[in-house]
Every structure is written in structure tokens, then in C-alpha cells.
Amino acid sequence: EAGVAQSPRYKIIEKRQSVAFWCNPISGHATLYWYQQILGQGPKLLIQFQNNGVVDDSQLPKDRFSAERLKGVDSTLKIQPAKLEDSAVYLCASSLDGASGYNEQFFGPGTRLTVL
Amino acid sequence: AQKVTQAQTEISVVEKEDVTLDCVYETRDTTYYLFWYKQPPSGELVFLIRRNSFDEQNEISGRYSWNFQKSTSSFNFTITASQVVDSAVYFCALTSPANQAGTALIFGKGTTLSVSS
């Protein structure tokens, strides 16, 4: 079974530039999460999708971050414009059905973003 | 508010030593799920175990064992006879279905385990 795919694996940009990350979850997984992991810390949720609807985006800095999950499969996370403090690893995770929290989340390899 | 605390930032052991990673959690929900994940140097988080709040049985899987105690809000992880391949960052995490905002995992800050030969 293929795991969660993410691209690119690494990205370096200048502050104020824009960047986009792509995630392809495990086939059949209804729930998709984007987490931000700053060096030395645990991952923190940015946004949770159930199929193509948003469940929780309370911690997403909406003035600069946006995300979509068209057709309830792939997802894209965008940052525009980027700030220095956005330097982090962006992790995508999926679960079979995240409605209850019971199902484990499977994580992709992450995208390491460096903002100069 | 829900919270997970992993007080041990870094632990260093020599191969074959036993090591316990501590995890303390806070939640007001009666139904919740606790998880342990491993993050090796490659960066990908790997699921290790899930425990629900109604099941306090300890679990053993090979060299790994977990001790869940609701009385102390702890969910500790022990590696017996550690090996170099166990070197990684280990995260404890919490979620609950009662959280109206969703079921994202609340992670601790992680414990970095270094096993030397």
C-alpha cells in the first residue's frame, strides 16, 4: 500500500515570496491533515479536511496561508507571502476516517521550508 | 484545554540498556485516545501504538511496552534492551472525539533518544 506522498521535499525561498506544497493521501482515506513542525517542537495542526470540507482551520494564519482539497483527494497548502517564521517542516497526514479520532494518522515525509 | 507534556528533552543510553520515556497528558474529556509516534532522522512520523481511555491494560510488543495509568494521567513508553536503530525522536500525542474543532493530534515536544554502541 502506497503511503502519503508529499512534494517538494525541500524548498528555499526569500521572504515575501509565495510557495505551494502538495499532498496525496493514502487511497480511500477520508481525512487529511496539514501540520507545521518547527525545529525542536511537536507538530501543530494547521488545517483538517474531512473529504473536501474543512473541519478545523482555527490555527491557520489565514492572512497568508490557504489550503484546498479539491475532489476530496489531493491537497495543496499555499503560503503567500512567506515570513521568516514560516521556516519549518510541513507534514501531511491522512486517516481512514478521522471523525472519531480513533484511527491512526499516517504521515508523509514532509516538506522542509527555509525562508531567507 | 488539552495538553501533552514530555518532560525529558533528551536521553542518551548505551545499547542493551532499558529506557523509559515519560508522557503526561491533560484533558477533561472522558473518551480520548493516546498515541506514540517515532520520528527517525529521515523525518517521517511512524505510528507505534494507540490506547483508548477505557483500556488501561498495559501492552507489550517485542522490546516495546507501554504503561497507561489514568490515575496519574500518564502513558509511559519503555524500550527494553535498546538498540542503535531505536535512536529517534519519540512523540506522545492525544486526541478526543468530543473536541468540536476536530480530531487533530495534540503532540508533546518530543524526547530525543540517542542509543550508542
Side-chain angles (χ1 to χ4, degrees), chain B residues 14 36 44 49 52 55 69 80 90 92:
Chain B
V14 178
W36 275 95
E44 193 161 333
I49 190 171
N52 76 56
D55 181 4
Q69 292 194 339
T80 302
Y90 291 86
C92 181

Side-chain angles (χ1 to χ4, degrees), chain B residues 36-72:
Chain B
W36 275 95
Y37 280 83
K38 174 181 180 180
Q39 188 173 42
S42 62
E44 193 161 333
L45 282 155
V46 177
F47 166 78
L48 294 178
I49 190 171
R50 169 191 51 238
R51 247 309 166 257
N52 76 56
S53 52
F54 299 106
D55 181 4
E56 287 195 72
Q57 281 192 340
N58 292 329
E59 182 155 339
I60 298 175
S61 176
R63 296 184 296 107
Y64 295 171
S65 62
W66 291 269
N67 180 263
F68 175 32
Q69 292 194 339
K70 288 178 72 172
S71 61
T72 56

Side-chain angles (χ1 to χ4, degrees), chain A residues 39-88:
Chain A
L39 187 64
Q41 298 183 19
K44 291 185 179 180
L45 180 77
L46 290 173
I47 190 167
Q48 176 184 345
F49 291 96
Q50 183 73 11
N51 297 307
N52 60 352
V54 175
V55 174
D56 181 8
D57 64 356
S58 59
Q59 300 180 77
L60 187 74
K62 298 181 185 65
D63 58 335
R64 298 183 301 106
F65 285 63
S66 65
E68 60 182 11
R69 190 184 184 196
L70 300 177
K71 301 181 181 178
V73 181
D74 293 8
S75 178
T76 302
L77 176 69
K78 296 179 181 177
I79 308 175
Q80 182 180 5
K83 292 184 175 181
L84 295 177
E85 59 260 36
D86 298 332
S87 293

Side-chain angles (χ1 to χ4, degrees), chain B residues 93-107:
Chain B
L94 165 72
T95 189
S96 73
N99 182 358
Q100 296 299 317
T103 55
L105 292 168
I106 307 298
F107 285 88

Side-chain angles (χ1 to χ4, degrees), chain A residues 11-21 64-65 78-84 86 113-116:
Chain A
K11 191 74 177 179
I12 300 174
I13 61 173
E14 301 280 335
K15 60 182 179 183
R16 290 188 290 274
Q17 285 187 326
S18 62
V19 64
F21 312 128
R64 298 183 301 106
F65 285 63
K78 296 179 181 177
I79 308 175
Q80 182 180 5
K83 292 184 175 181
L84 295 177
D86 298 332
L113 174 67
T114 302
V115 182
L116 303 175

